[in-house]
Amino acid sequence: MKVSVVGLGQMGKAIAERLVDAGHSVSVWNRTAGKATDLVEKGATELTSLHEAWTSEVCITMVADSAALTEVTLGPGGLALADIGHGKFLIDMSTVSPESSSQVAKAAAANGIKFLRAPVSGNPGVVRAGNLTVVVSGDQADCLAMEDLLRDIGPHVFRAGDGETARIVKLALNLMIAGTAELLAEALVLAEAHDVDRVKMLQIVGASAVGSPFVKYKTGPLIADDYTSTFSTRLMRKDLDLILESATAGGAPLPLTANVQQLLQACVSTGLGELDFMSLLIRLKREAGQPV
């Protein structure tokens, strides 16, 4: 299948790599130049303009936030406004607000473009390992038509329902990830305050009732004190902002999430924003007077 991938951040690049490896004809575009070199070497084609993305049957967007999605879909020359996309598929895999997604959906429908929301759960390493989870919503027939393509990106594909339901599911998952990160950080700070070895503590956590794939993914970097971003503190804070906005709109109280959002904001405000969101541990260690 001919597929265009718009947005070559860490996740977009990993998704494009999976599609190339699966044998699809892949074209790529990024707002800033210079990110496609590795993909071109693997066999992808770099596009010179956004509209060229519609030379493909399917256009996948993976961008940082709602503003970026609005720019590439509803801005001048936007994908959702292009007549040449009529009858084709626009699949957005970003984590964005339901409100901005709904605006894109309306514009796409008006131009005969089939729009699916397909946010993902996992980091670039999870994508490359073939373990990504994809949550998709939209017209049932359209979701079914794109299921095989989505499985080439990640094997775990779940249809959440119609409309923006996939957006809410994705935000709920990130609520749990952010909360787990803070709890893991607090557990390590408590253990280390009483001279429990971090390696031993993480081994025990991983083997306990609270062990999870997330804990296992983070164990190696935490042992190495490596906070290289797989998903930045700034972006996780952004996601919690979206979660709290959706909670307000739905009348859902999320007191713990509100606290974690404030803790992430404290990390951003003290210069940790571009580190991995496990920088929550750095913040706690500083407060505890423990060496970082």
Side-chain angles (χ1 to χ4, degrees), residues 68-82:
L69 179 64
T70 298
E71 179 182 338
V72 300
T73 57
L74 304 178
L79 293 166
L81 304 177

Side-chain angles (χ1 to χ4, degrees), residues 96-106 115 117 137-138 160-169:
V96 298
S97 71
E99 291 76 18
S100 63
S101 180
S102 179
Q103 291 175 356
V104 175
K106 290 175 182 177
F115 180 58
R117 305 82 163 158
S137 63
D162 298 317
E164 305 304 326
T165 51
R167 303 297 190 190
I168 299 300
V169 171

